[in-house]
C-alpha cells in the first residue's frame, strides 16, 4: 500500500483495486481541511490513520465550522463515503456542485464565515477539481528515454549525487573487495571511477559544492565522526567539523552546502535534540539554523533550495518517523519553520529540490 495515509481512499488503504472514483475520496479530506483547518483522519501513527480512513467517520464539518453552508458539508460527505457505490459519481459532478455553491455566495450577501481567504480556497478547490478531471485524460505521447547505467560494480554503490553541470556523479562505494565505503566520482557518460578517500573509516553522504569544485562528505568513527571536504578532482581532504556523538535513535547525519559555497550545513549533534547549523569552512565558526522542540528527536537531511533562499529539512517526531519542514536561510537567528507534510513518515525517505526551487521528495 503506497500513498499518504490521511488522504487515502478506504479501498486503497486495504490494498484493493482502485479506479478514477477512488480519487474522489482524497478530494474530500482536502476540502474538509480547507474548510475546518483540521485533518479529517489525523491519528498518532500512520497505521491508526489508515484504520480511521477505513472504519471511522471524521468529526462533522459543522462542528468545526458551525456557520458553514449545509450544502458544502453534504458535498464533502459525498466525497468521503466509504462505499464506492454511495460516493459522488465523478469529479466533474463535484466541480459543478462547487461552482453552484460559489454562485450562491454573492459578495454582497456573503455570510460571516466566508472570509476572503475562504473564498479564495473555494476557487482553489474548483481549480483542483478541474485539474483532477484533466489529469485523467490520456496524456500526449512522449518519446521514452532509456535509462543510463551509471555504475555496475561489485559490492554496493549508494548515495549518488550529480554535479551542478550534470556531467559527473559522486557516490559512496564499498569497493571491489566490499570492505569499506569510500567516496568515488566518475563521468556520467563513460570512464572509470576515481577514488577520492582512502581512510579505513566509512565515508558517505557526498554532496557537491555549488561551483562543482569540491565534495563534502561524512566520516564515521565508532560512535563519533566528522564532516570533511575534498577536491572533486582529487587531493588532500580536510576536516570541517566534528560529529561529537551519533544519537542511537537517528540514522547517519548528512549535510549540504550553503549557497555561497563558504560553509556547510550540518546536523549539529552537540545539541539535544540535534538541530541544524552552518559551519564556516574558513574559521569553523558555527551558526545555529534550527532549534527542534525539546520532545522531538531532532532535525536532519538538510536540503538547500537552488536559489539559496530556503532550507528544507526532516524533523523527527519519534524514533523513526517525522515530517518535512521549510525555513528561510540568511536570517540572523532561527525562525519558526513551516511544516510541509503531515505524513509521520519514515526517515528513510530522501528529499530533493527541482530546478525552480519548488520542493519534491
Amino acid at each position: 500500500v503506497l500513498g499518504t495515509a490521511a488522504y487515502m481512499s478506504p479501498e486503497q488503504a486495504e490494498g484493493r483495486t482502485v479506479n478514477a472514483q477512488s480519487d474522489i475520496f482524497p478530494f474530500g479530506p482536502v476540502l474538509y481541511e480547507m474548510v475546518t483547518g483540521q485533518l479529517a483522519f489525523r491519528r498518532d501513527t500512520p497505521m491508526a490513520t489508515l484504520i480511521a480512513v477505513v472504519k471511522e467517520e471524521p468529526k462533522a464539518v459543522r462542528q468545526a465550522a458551525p456557520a458553514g453552508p449545509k450544502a458544502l458539508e453534504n458535498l464533502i460527505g459525498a466525497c468521503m463515503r466509504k462505499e464506492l457505490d454511495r460516493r459522488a459519481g465523478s469529479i466533474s459532478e463535484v466541480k459543478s456542485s462547487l461552482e453552484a455553491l460559489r454562485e450562491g455566495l454573492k459578495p454582497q450577501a456573503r455570510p460571516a464565515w466566508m472570509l476572503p481567504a475562504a473564498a479564495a480556497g473555494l476557487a482553489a478547490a474548483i481549480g483542483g477539481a478541474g485539474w483532477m478531471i484533466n489529469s485523467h485524460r490520456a496524456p500526449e505521447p512522449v518519446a521514452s528515454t532509456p535509462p543510463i547505467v551509471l555504475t555496475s560494480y561489485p559490492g554496493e554503490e549508494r548515495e549518488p549525487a550529480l554535479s551542478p553541470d550534470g556531467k559527473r556523479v559522486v557516490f559512496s562505494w564499498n569497493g571491489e573487495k566490499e570492505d569499506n565505503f569510500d567516496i568515488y566520482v566518475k563521468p556520467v557518460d563513460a570512464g572509470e571511477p576515481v577514488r577520492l578517500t582512502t581512510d579505513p573509516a566509512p565515508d558517505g553522504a557526498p554532496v557537491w559544492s555549488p561551483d562543482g569544485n569540491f565534495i563534502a562528505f561524512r566520516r564515521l568513527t565508532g560512535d563519533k565522526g566528522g564532516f570533511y571536504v575534498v577536491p572533486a578532482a582529487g587531493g588532500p581532504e580536510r576536516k570541517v567539523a566534528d560529529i561529537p556523538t551519533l544519537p542511537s535513535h537517528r540514522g547517519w547525519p548528512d549535510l549540504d552546502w550553503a549557497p555561497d559555497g563558504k560553509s556547510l550545513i550540518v546536523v549539529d549533534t552537540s545539541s539535544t535534540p540535534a538541530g541544524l547549523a552552518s559551519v564556516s569552512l574558513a574559521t569553523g565558526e558555527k551558526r545555529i539554523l534550527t532549534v527542534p522542540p525539546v520532545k522531538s528527536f531532532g532535525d536532519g537531511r538538510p536540503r538547500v533550495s537552488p536559489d539559496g533562499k530556503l532550507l528544507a529539512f526532516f524533523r523527527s517526531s519519534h524514533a523513526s518517523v517525522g515530517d518535512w519542514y521549510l525555513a528561510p536561510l540568511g536570517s540572523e537567528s532561527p525562525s519558526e519553520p513551516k511544516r510541509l507534510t503531515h505524513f509521520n513518515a519514515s526517515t528513510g525517505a530522501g528529499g530533493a529540490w527541482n530546478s525552480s526551487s519548488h520542493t519534491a521528495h
Side-chain angles (χ1 to χ4, degrees), residues 248-261:
S248 59
H249 61 272
R250 293 291 303 277
W252 294 347
D254 56 0
L255 66 160
D256 202 357
W257 287 81
D260 60 5

Side-chain angles (χ1 to χ4, degrees), residues 145-218:
T145 303
I148 299 173
V149 177
L150 296 178
T151 66
S152 58
Y153 312 130
E156 181 181 350
E157 304 99 65
R158 63 190 187 189
E159 301 174 302
L162 285 173
S163 60
D165 61 8
K167 296 181 180 180
R168 293 170 293 171
V169 61
V170 66
F171 56 97
S172 176
W173 177 30
N174 62 352
E176 294 182 355
K177 296 181 179 179
E178 302 182 32
D179 54 357
N180 186 65
F181 281 97
D182 289 292
I183 305 301
Y184 294 78
V185 65
K186 72 175 292 291
V188 167
D189 52 2
E192 294 300 314
V194 175
R195 184 174 180 176
L196 299 182
T197 65
T198 57
D199 194 274
D203 299 333
V207 285
W208 293 86
S209 63
D211 60 10
N213 291 329
F214 293 90
I215 292 166
F217 63 94
R218 159 204 71 211

